């Protein structure tokens, strides 16, 4: 039995981009970074949030009675959502006929989550997949992650932890014994570039990367490629990765701006850069990494 609880953004089944094979990815809420290009803005705050997609609302009024805080009402021109009154409980989401409401930050225990994750065990086994913990930054809820990963290992499920690395060493140590592979984000090598793009220094991130490597754990590195922001960092990142021993592969993730509507739905300031990378730029970044004998996915 494990009653330890976590704040969950979303559970994504049949994920194919969060590690090897077919996986279920559990996204946990809260992140210490504020990347300008973040495509999961619902993962930044630890507090529960309600996203409201105004363009999907059909003004059916079904949400009005389900909100204890009275955040939904009808006006002359249809439904009005008053975010200032919303406590983020999520009760209105299930009544919404237009699928205009989405709740992020569900409170779940390890025992509630585990059976859902084990449902697809056969798919994991047949595809070389498993379960990935992601976010936000999942290791901000390290005790929850540790308990969940431990249970997954007891059930012989492959496990991956997707982290930005800006976490205390104790958080990494807590999950290390139950993690098969770390998916590790490197956004910049130069500290000033990292601060400009994410709001924090990368010293701790690079130290933790070297630490995990020194422990002999497999690491898949992910590099978001964002023109004019971190695109001049690839050579330096390649140098660093070439000096490590346990990098299984590197993925260059071309920046995209699909998350614009998410920022609006959460009433958050949209910080997404305008410029998208060309296929040539991404190929060039991959070439720089390959030339250092780094396996590029
Ligand atoms: S999430 Fe809860 S408090 Fe917020 S609008 Fe919905 S029912 Fe009301
Ligand atoms: S239930 Fe959904 S679709 Fe209906 S009024 Fe409320 S937000 Fe709009």
């Amino acid at each position: 039995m494990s009653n330890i609880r976590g704040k969950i953004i979303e559970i994504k089944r049949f994920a194919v981009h969060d590690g090897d094979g077919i996986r279920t990815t559990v996204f946990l809420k809260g992140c210490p970074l504020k990347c300008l290009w973040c495509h999961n803005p619902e993962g930044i705050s630890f507090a529960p949030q309600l996203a409201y997609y105004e363009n999907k609302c059909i003004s059916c009024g079904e949400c009005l009675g389900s909100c204890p805080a009275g955040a939904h009402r009808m006006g002359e021109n249809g439904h009005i959502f008053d975010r200032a009154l919303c406590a983020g409980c999520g009760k209105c989401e299930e009544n919404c006929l237009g699928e205009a409401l989405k709740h992020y930050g569900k409170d779940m225990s390890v025992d509630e989550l585990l059976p859902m994750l084990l449902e697809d065990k056969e798919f994991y086994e047949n595809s070389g997949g498993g379960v990935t913990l992601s976010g936000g930054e999942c290791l901000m809820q390290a005790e929850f992650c540790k308990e969940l990963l431990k249970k997954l290992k007891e059930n012989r499920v492959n496990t991956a932890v997707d982290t930005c690395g800006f976490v205390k060493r104790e958080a990494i140590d807590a999950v290390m014994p139950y993690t098969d592979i770390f998916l590790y984000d490197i956004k910049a090598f130069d500290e000033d570039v990292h601060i400009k793009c994410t709001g924090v220094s990368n010293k701790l991130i690079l130290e933790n990367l070297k630490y995990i490597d020194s422990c002999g754990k497999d690491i898949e590195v992910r590099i978001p490629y964002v023109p004019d922001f971190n695109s001049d960092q690839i050579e330096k990142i390649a140098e660093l990765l070439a000096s490590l021993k346990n990098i299984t592969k590197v993925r260059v993730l071309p920046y995209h701006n699909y998350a614009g509507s998410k920022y609006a739905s959460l009433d958050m300031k949209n910080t997404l850069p305008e410029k998208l990378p060309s296929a040539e730029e991404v190929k060039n970044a991959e070439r720089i990494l390959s030339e250092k004998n780094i396996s590029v996915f």
Side-chain angles (χ1 to χ4, degrees), residues 50 66-72 81 85-93 101 103:
L50 185 75
S66 57
C67 177
H72 299 280
F81 171 49
L85 296 178
C86 173
C89 70
K91 285 183 183 149
C92 57
E93 182 192 29
L101 303 173
H103 180 233

Side-chain angles (χ1 to χ4, degrees), residues 97-114:
L97 297 183
E99 297 186 356
L101 303 173
K102 183 132 177 65
H103 180 233
Y104 297 114
K106 197 171 178 187
D107 200 57
M108 291 185 85
S109 72
V110 168
D111 284 348
E112 284 167 334
L113 196 49
L114 187 68

Side-chain angles (χ1 to χ4, degrees), residues 212-280:
I212 295 171
D213 186 66
S214 72
C215 293
K217 264 296 160 190
D218 284 349
I219 308 166
E220 178 185 313
V221 169
R222 282 118 180 279
I223 307 170
Y225 186 91
V226 193
D228 300 341
F229 285 87
N230 71 348
S231 43
D232 64 344
Q233 296 288 297
I234 303 298
E235 300 242 7
K236 290 176 184 171
I237 295 174
E239 288 278 344
L240 167 70
L241 299 183
S243 72
L244 303 177
K245 293 186 176 65
N246 294 293
I247 307 297
T248 56
K249 59 179 170 268
V250 177
R251 288 183 201 238
V252 178
L253 306 174
Y255 161 68
H256 63 73
N257 58 7
Y258 306 150
S261 65
K262 277 194 195 173
Y263 282 85
S265 75
L266 293 161
D267 199 21
M268 289 171 71
K269 187 174 172 224
N270 184 341
T271 58
L272 295 173
E274 279 183 20
K275 194 170 168 190
L276 300 175
S278 66
E280 289 73 37

Side-chain angles (χ1 to χ4, degrees), residues 52 56-63 79 95-98 100-101:
Y52 172 49
K56 289 189 179 176
C57 176
I58 54 172
S59 286
C60 64
E62 289 294 320
C63 52
H79 168 253
N95 290 333
C96 179
L97 297 183
L101 303 173

Side-chain angles (χ1 to χ4, degrees), residues 24-195:
T24 299
T25 305
V26 182
F27 294 89
L28 283 98
K29 209 156 173 3
C31 182
L33 271 55
K34 286 195 175 55
C35 303
L36 295 171
W37 53 77
C38 179
H39 60 272
N40 286 331
E42 70 278 23
I44 296 173
S45 167
F46 184 72
Q49 286 169 292
L50 185 75
Y52 172 49
Y53 292 90
E54 198 173 352
N55 59 334
K56 289 189 179 176
C57 176
I58 54 172
S59 286
C60 64
E62 289 294 320
C63 52
L64 270 59
S66 57
C67 177
H72 299 280
R73 64 190 160 89
M74 295 304 280
E76 272 181 27
N77 298 315
H79 168 253
I80 296 169
F81 171 49
D82 188 345
R83 185 172 293 280
L85 296 178
C86 173
C89 70
K91 285 183 183 149
C92 57
E93 182 192 29
E94 55 203 54
N95 290 333
C96 179
L97 297 183
E99 297 186 356
L101 303 173
K102 183 132 177 65
H103 180 233
Y104 297 114
K106 197 171 178 187
D107 200 57
M108 291 185 85
S109 72
V110 168
D111 284 348
E112 284 167 334
L113 196 49
L114 187 68
M116 295 167 70
L117 302 179
L118 295 180
E119 267 179 42
D120 293 333
K121 195 176 168 196
E122 202 180 323
F123 291 104
Y124 310 153
E125 286 171 353
N126 291 338
S127 67
V131 171
T132 299
L133 304 190
S134 182
E137 171 49 58
C138 62
L139 294 185
M140 285 183 82
Q141 302 183 56
E143 279 308 305
F144 176 80
C145 290
K146 176 186 166 185
E147 283 306 307
L148 182 56
L149 292 164
K150 198 170 163 187
K151 295 272 179 194
L152 288 164
K153 291 317 295 177
E154 283 169 12
N155 285 277
R156 296 179 303 284
V157 173
N158 176 278
T159 57
V161 167
D162 181 1
T163 179
C164 72
F166 193 75
V167 293
K168 289 184 182 154
R169 181 68 51 86
E170 301 91 82
I172 291 171
D173 285 337
V175 298
M176 183 95 79
Y178 315 107
T179 302
D180 291 308
I181 187 165
F182 283 89
L183 312 180
Y184 206 98
D185 300 347
I186 299 290
K187 290 148 168 102
F189 181 85
D190 293 330
E191 189 182 18
D192 58 333
V193 175
H194 201 275
I195 292 172

